[in-house]
Amino acid sequence: MTEALSKTYDPGEHEGRLYDWWEREGYFKPEKLIELGTASPDGKRFCITMPPPNVTGILHLGHAITAAIEDLVTRYHRMQGAETLFLPGSDHAGIATQNVVERELAKEGLTRHDLGRETFVARAWAWKAVTHARITDQHRKLGISCDWDRERFTLDESLSRAVRTAFVTLYERDLIYRGPYMVNWCPRCESAISDLEVEPHEHASYLWYIRYPIVGDGWDGPTAAWGSGHWAEGATTFIQMATTRPETILGDSGVAVHPADERWQALIGKTAFLPAVDRPIPVVADDAVKPEFGTGAVKVTPAHDPTDYEIGMRHGLAQISVLTTEGKMNAAAGPYEGLDRFECRKAIVADFEKEGLLVRVEDYTHTIGHCQRCDTIVEPMISTQWFVRTKPLAEKAIRAVGSGEMHIVPDRFEKVFYHWMENIRDWCISRQLWWGHRIPVWYCDDCGKEWSAVEDPSACPGCGSSHYHQDEDVLDTWFSSGLWPFSTLGWPDTEAPDLQRFFPTDMRETGYDILFFWVARETMLSLELMGRVPYHTVYLHGLIRNEHGEKISKSMPDAWKYDPLYIIDEYGTDALRYTLATSSTAGNDMNLDLRRIEGARNFANKIWQATRFILMNVGDEPTASLDDLGAAHLTLADRWILSRVQSLTAEVTRLMDDNQYGEAGRQVRDFLWDEFCDWYIEAAKGRLYGEGADRATPKAVLVAVLERAMRLLHPFMPFVTEAIWQALPEGARQGPALIVARWPVVDSAWIDEAAERDMAQLIAMVQGIRAIRSEYSVEPSHRIAATFAAGWAEELLASEREVLIALARLDPEQTAIVDSTEPMAQSASVVVGDTVVYLPLAGLVDLEAERARLGKELANLEARIVASEGRLAGPFAQRAPADVVQRERDKLLEMRVEAARLREQARRLGS
């Protein structure tokens, strides 16, 4: 046995040394499991690839819950005898990383353009080296048992080759194309971003009602300058509409109305004149127009609105872009050229008012898209970009989920998955950045040929010219992340050992908020490039909120207390992991109260102190084998706890296999705290301390049950369980470390339903007696009399008398069993099954003093009841607010219940 355990468990004393030891011994590597014989090279295998965190900062609770769940699943399968690989890595995070590095450059008064592409990318690599080391250290603190020798980064040479291979393959299959299309444009990042990188924010803004003059009735167009106040002079007919973006007026190439809207029937086919830029534009009819919005007529800006783009395509309207990539007005904006888009908004509204073309302004709240990375308001713009044709890929993904080849937990998210995939748009994969995978497409400067290749070319494949250039854009980060399940295992080398052994992987654990961001893309790309799903199970956890249900953000004054590193320093890694794994269910958000984490820390300390007690009583002598002891040596409590730990093993294994990790962890905790510590250890103390008692049996049972329970708890709380397991007598442990010990197997020979039933009755009796002791404030040291009437009590007292007397603090001289079923006067009673336990009140309290106290308390309470009844019967019930009246009724009900309890106590006393 190792040296004695400290009085309390100190996570800081054990976590670092145990993690270093595990890693040094190679226990995280699948090859080590083969070497130890705990796994077979041709047997079961299990693989999970870590969702790569961005190299843009520190880990947060979202990363922590992912790590906690992934690692508990990994540890479970490792103990189940599978050749297990948990593969770590990180993501280059294109836009996010470039933004951070650019902010650092700004502190030096520089921009990326001052450095040039090559030097800027070198700065990004240097920054990545620092942040990557920090993130790796934080993951180690979380205790994740991944094979760090296999760690991957999305810009690694091998993964870069995988990205190029994937691009070229899709390009050659005509699944990647380049062309003009409506995209989300971030003026701050100066890049296109995907729909999923746009976050909707609600804005309190305005709805501007404006009007355009219609050509006709002698008015052929403006004769005065814009801004003169006379621009529309002479016009008699106008079409009125509403807009939330006045600056885009300058890009209008039409006005649209619904064909069935009678208000505007006469104007369909007419020509309106666009203010400010003197542009004639047609009035068209289109079913996409919603007559109920605004006036029923809408301005059409095909270059700056997705719906308008579609309307424009149907009616052949010009696509006029009025914004630069920086969000300023370009030459097409006429007199507003050079203004920031929001400065232009103010200016054009003022000019419309001056010209009499601003009808009115209304308050209006609506949703506006923001860039997920920099929070800038996004502009819809037509831009030439690279796209993936997603429809044929999505159809394969839908079939894979529908056939059960890939299962989503919880399954209600399958409907969400189908909805997204059935309504998917082509995926814009090009970004106007420097940090990332540069698009592997080249253009010949001489013959104009375009081609894609995995290797950098030496000449144009069309004309042989050496004058060519590569596309300037980089790929969307999610393109490389979408290849993660197989690129990390060696693809495109189809003979790579890890790819052969571990693909498809077994699980993707992630938040439900990126089901479409990532899971859908991994699935589509894997089915297209590998012909198989990337994993069999998708397990979705919810979002973590504070104890009030609010989203945790850096701006919160107490945001520091939700930092995983702070929590680990304060409570320990096991406490954090256990809380995150057991405080929520799949697909549901959790409200994180730090008191839960404190409770988990207390649980770790509880089992530590229980182990310390056991080891102090076991001593250095090896414990006897349960099989050698024989059933004759086992008491009811022994048979009960040995049966319960077997039943627990069966239930926890079932729950783990059914992905119900939270319930599995909760059941292990309830068993250890409530059944093992609070009942069995207390029941065993009599034999451990008593003279001449059989000490060998309880020692053997205590050690055997504790060892098995540590194996069940290990995936949830790896550090404290390993520390405890290493402290157990050598004969109780099988193998060099708990992390590679075998998961417990149910031995049905030890399951004893009769013992579980009888012990449950005994516990119920003790709990009932303790409740009465508490009700009458009996001191713990004071032993009380008890009489057991009829039923099971006779057998109980014969076999478990000492345990019952010890646990209930009964007086052995005044504990008896009687055959009479007549109730005993002046006694409190406990009923369990067909047994009644009578506790004479004379032994609990001073009867006269208690009668007087109860009488006084009851009289006071009855007076308050009468007063409350009077209030509710009078004007108060009609005049007071409904909630105040309801509170009074609730209070009256509580007082009546309390009065009934006091009367019952008085009845027991014979008054």
Side-chain angles (χ1 to χ4, degrees):
M1 187 180 72
T2 60
E3 61 185 52
L5 300 184
S6 57
K7 289 185 178 180
T8 58
Y9 177 65
D10 179 4
E13 179 184 343
H14 300 281
E15 292 178 355
R17 71 171 182 83
L18 285 173
Y19 193 88
D20 291 344
W21 175 62
W22 287 331
E23 188 175 6
R24 188 169 60 251
E25 292 296 320
Y27 295 142
F28 301 161
K29 302 181 73 62
E31 294 83 0
K32 184 68 173 182
L33 306 179
I34 302 297
E35 178 188 324
L36 291 171
T38 60
S40 169
D42 55 358
K44 294 188 299 182
R45 59 98 175 131
F46 178 84
C47 178
I48 190 167
T49 57
M50 176 194 295
N54 293 346
V55 289
T56 49
I58 61 174
L59 299 184
H60 51 68
L61 283 173
H63 297 110
I65 190 172
T66 296
I69 295 174
E70 287 178 340
D71 193 55
L72 80 84
V73 175
T74 297
R75 288 175 183 268
Y76 171 67
H77 284 279
R78 184 183 290 122
M79 296 176 76
Q80 282 273 22
E83 185 183 1
T84 305
L85 173 61
F86 184 5
L87 192 149
S90 53
D91 195 300
H92 67 280
I95 290 179
T97 298
Q98 180 152 321
N99 283 346
V100 173
V101 176
E102 286 195 67
R103 285 199 295 269
E104 293 298 312
L105 287 176
K107 296 175 183 177
E108 305 172 30
L110 298 171
T111 70
R112 61 180 167 125
H113 300 287
D114 294 326
L115 270 63
R117 185 168 193 150
E118 186 175 339
T119 304
F120 176 82
V121 169
R123 285 285 292 264
W125 273 105
W127 188 84
K128 174 263 178 187
V130 175
T131 57
H132 172 260
R134 182 171 64 217
I135 288 172
T136 299
D137 180 63
Q138 291 166 0
H139 262 132
R140 291 173 185 272
K141 286 184 180 296
L142 287 168
I144 57 173
S145 55
C146 52
D147 185 352
W148 291 106
D149 290 340
R150 284 177 163 92
E151 184 180 12
R152 299 290 185 264
F153 177 57
T154 49
L155 285 178
D156 283 347
E157 183 178 347
S158 61
L159 270 69
S160 295
R161 182 174 182 80
V163 167
R164 281 196 170 190
T165 301
F167 186 98
V168 171
T169 302
L170 297 175
Y171 179 91
E172 291 176 346
R173 294 177 183 177
D174 196 31
L175 291 170
I176 284 181
Y177 67 93
R178 184 172 183 260
Y181 199 70
M182 178 66 64
V183 298
N184 304 298
W185 187 268
C186 175
R188 160 62 184 80
C189 299
E190 289 192 68
S191 176
I193 59 176
S194 72
D195 292 345
L196 295 170
E197 292 168 305
V198 178
E199 290 189 342
H201 291 191
E202 196 170 78
H203 283 250
S205 183
Y206 302 100
L207 196 58
W208 288 272
Y209 285 80
I210 56 176
R211 59 180 190 160
Y212 298 167
I214 299 293
V215 174
D217 296 331
W219 190 82
D220 297 325
T223 55
W226 176 252
S228 65
H230 303 286
W231 181 84
E233 196 171 80
T236 58
T237 305
F238 295 85
I239 189 165
Q240 184 179 318
M241 65 218 81
T243 182
T244 59
R245 301 163 68 206
E247 67 278 10
T248 62
I249 288 171
L250 303 164
D252 286 1
S253 57
V255 176
V257 299
H258 194 277
D261 191 337
E262 295 181 357
R263 292 171 295 180
W264 306 113
Q265 287 290 314
L267 296 184
I268 296 174
K270 300 282 187 178
T271 299
F273 236 90
L274 185 66
V277 290
D278 296 355
R279 181 184 304 139
I281 57 176
V283 179
V284 300
D286 196 281
D287 289 332
V289 178
K290 297 178 180 178
E292 65 274 11
F293 177 77
T295 66
V298 295
K299 54 187 287 304
V300 182
T301 320
H304 294 290
D305 183 272
T307 302
D308 292 3
Y309 175 82
E310 299 295 338
I311 294 175
M313 293 294 288
R314 285 193 288 273
H315 297 278
L317 302 179
Q319 299 171 349
I320 304 167
S321 177
V322 294
L323 289 170
T324 69
T325 59
E326 296 175 312
K328 293 183 178 181
M329 310 310 294
N330 64 20
Y336 304 99
E337 181 182 2
L339 290 180
D340 172 81
R341 54 185 167 156
F342 299 119
E343 293 174 353
C344 177
R345 176 179 296 180
K346 294 177 183 178
I348 199 168
V349 167
D351 287 345
F352 260 69
E353 185 173 24
K354 184 178 181 179
E355 294 290 354
L357 300 176
L358 179 65
V359 180
R360 67 182 186 275
V361 181
E362 294 179 353
D363 290 339
Y364 186 68
T365 299
H366 63 132
T367 299
I368 300 176
H370 286 239
C371 175
Q372 185 189 55
R373 299 303 179 187
C374 69
D375 202 38
T376 302
I377 291 177
V378 169
E379 288 291 344
M381 290 176 62
I382 291 178
S383 177
T384 298
Q385 302 288 339
W386 286 95
F387 295 87
V388 173
R389 300 186 201 277
T390 51
K391 200 71 176 176
L393 306 185
E395 289 170 354
K396 294 180 181 179
I398 291 170
R399 287 196 296 271
V401 174
S403 68
E405 188 180 359
M406 190 172 81
H407 176 50
I408 300 176
V409 180
D411 57 11
R412 70 175 185 272
F413 279 94
E414 290 184 0
K415 292 182 180 178
V416 178
F417 184 83
Y418 293 146
H419 175 75
W420 279 338
M421 300 305 270
E422 289 164 358
N423 295 279
I424 197 169
R425 293 172 57 188
D426 282 357
W427 171 17
C428 176
I429 57 171
S430 50
R431 299 291 182 269
Q432 288 63 55
L433 305 172
W434 288 352
W435 173 249
H437 294 279
R438 195 164 173 180
I439 289 176
V441 170
W442 287 264
Y443 309 94
C444 181
D445 299 329
D446 290 334
C447 72
K449 182 177 177 60
E450 171 191 301
W451 75 96
S452 181
V454 174
E455 304 293 344
D456 285 356
S458 58
C460 170
C463 67
S465 170
S466 59
H467 301 111
Y468 55 86
H469 64 278
Q470 187 176 357
D471 197 293
E472 293 290 325
D473 292 349
V474 301
L475 286 165
D476 176 15
T477 298
W478 292 103
F479 189 89
S480 53
S481 298
L483 308 174
W484 190 254
F486 47 95
S487 65
T488 54
L489 295 174
W491 188 85
D493 178 3
T494 57
E495 300 301 317
D498 280 356
L499 188 68
Q500 291 282 319
R501 178 63 173 147
F502 294 109
F503 187 83
T505 64
D506 292 272
M507 174 182 282
R508 167 62 66 231
E509 200 291 332
T510 190
Y512 66 69
D513 54 324
I514 58 173
L515 175 62
F516 194 67
F517 253 123
W518 190 28
V519 173
R521 293 171 183 190
E522 285 186 313
T523 306
M524 289 190 295
L525 291 173
S526 180
L527 286 167
E528 182 62 32
L529 297 171
M530 302 295 292
R532 291 184 287 179
V533 293
Y535 25 69
H536 303 300
T537 300
V538 178
Y539 183 94
L540 303 173
H541 65 252
L543 305 180
I544 302 178
R545 304 181 182 277
N546 69 7
E547 60 268 40
H548 306 298
E550 301 164 335
K551 184 178 179 180
I552 299 172
S553 66
K554 295 178 182 178
S555 61
M556 285 181 167
D558 61 348
W560 54 270
K561 71 181 185 181
Y562 300 105
D563 178 356
L565 296 184
Y566 163 77
I567 294 173
I568 288 172
D569 289 342
E570 190 74 12
Y571 303 101
T573 298
D574 285 333
L576 174 61
R577 286 178 53 137
Y578 180 85
T579 302
L580 294 177
T582 62
S583 296
S584 67
T585 54
N588 294 320
D589 293 351
M590 67 173 286
N591 295 351
L592 182 64
D593 190 330
L594 293 186
R595 288 174 295 185
R596 286 187 187 173
I597 299 178
E598 184 178 359
R601 180 194 62 187
N602 294 343
F603 170 49
N605 198 51
K606 175 87 170 180
I607 58 176
W608 180 265
Q609 292 180 328
T611 303
R612 186 171 183 268
F613 167 82
I614 293 169
L615 295 180
M616 288 172 63
N617 283 277
V618 168
D620 292 325
E621 298 179 6
T623 56
S625 165
L626 291 178
D627 293 329
D628 293 339
L629 290 172
H633 292 273
L634 299 178
T635 65
L636 171 63
D638 295 333
R639 290 185 289 113
W640 167 72
I641 199 67
L642 289 169
S643 179
R644 285 294 303 125
V645 79
Q646 293 293 337
S647 299
L648 177 73
T649 301
E651 183 61 7
V652 169
T653 303
R654 182 191 70 79
L655 290 167
M656 293 290 280
D657 289 340
D658 197 35
N659 308 120
Q660 297 185 57
Y661 310 120
E663 181 60 22
R666 289 189 291 271
Q667 289 206 14
V668 178
R669 184 263 183 210
D670 291 347
F671 170 82
L672 277 165
W673 192 303
D674 299 337
E675 298 181 75
F676 185 64
C677 292
D678 286 357
W679 290 105
Y680 181 74
I681 289 179
E682 293 303 313
K685 284 181 178 178
R687 286 184 292 159
L688 291 173
Y689 296 156
E691 293 185 10
D694 172 20
R695 294 190 182 92
T697 299
K699 288 180 181 179
V701 173
L702 283 165
V703 171
V705 173
L706 177 63
E707 190 277 335
R708 176 175 282 252
M710 289 304 96
R711 282 186 278 161
L712 294 174
L713 183 61
H714 178 71
F716 299 89
M717 305 182 89
F719 290 114
V720 68
T721 53
E722 182 75 81
I724 286 173
W725 197 81
Q726 292 295 334
L728 296 179
E730 287 189 10
R733 298 180 273 125
Q734 297 296 321
L738 178 56
I739 189 176
V740 290
R742 293 306 297 263
W743 185 258
V745 176
V746 177
D747 185 346
S748 58
W750 289 105
I751 295 179
D752 189 333
E753 293 180 1
E756 293 195 32
R757 182 191 64 242
D758 290 349
M759 191 66 182
Q761 289 187 297
L762 185 146
I763 289 172
M765 283 186 185
V766 173
Q767 288 173 329
I769 294 170
R770 287 176 176 176
I772 291 175
R773 291 178 65 106
S774 175
E775 184 179 347
Y776 287 97
S777 302
V778 179
E779 291 291 331
S781 61
H782 180 61
R783 291 187 176 274
I784 62 175
T787 299
F788 294 80
W792 179 68
E794 184 173 2
E795 182 182 344
L796 171 66
L797 288 177
S799 63
E800 302 298 325
R801 175 185 174 88
E802 296 303 321
V803 173
L804 184 60
I805 287 173
L807 295 178
R809 304 296 293 163
L810 302 179
D811 184 343
E813 301 298 324
Q814 299 186 64
T815 298
I817 183 168
V818 297
D819 293 331
S820 173
T821 58
E822 291 296 320
M824 294 181 64
Q826 296 186 355
S827 294
S829 62
V830 177
V831 180
V832 178
D834 58 0
T835 299
V836 182
V837 185
Y838 294 102
L839 306 175
L841 295 176
L844 300 177
V845 294
D846 181 329
L847 293 181
E848 290 302 322
E850 186 66 8
R851 288 190 188 107
R853 183 189 70 80
L854 286 174
K856 182 178 179 181
E857 190 173 336
L858 186 57
N860 177 273
L861 189 58
E862 286 175 337
R864 290 168 57 199
I865 288 173
V866 170
S868 179
E869 288 173 337
R871 292 189 75 197
L872 289 170
F876 165 80
Q878 283 74 42
R879 296 175 182 172
D883 61 324
V884 175
V885 174
Q886 187 58 48
R887 281 201 298 271
E888 185 67 24
R889 287 177 179 145
D890 293 342
K891 184 175 71 173
L892 175 60
L893 179 60
E894 290 173 2
M895 290 191 294
R896 285 172 173 167
V897 171
E898 177 63 11
R901 188 186 69 81
L902 293 175
R903 291 190 192 98
E904 173 59 22
Q905 283 193 335
R907 186 195 63 76
R908 292 177 188 168
L909 296 173
S911 58

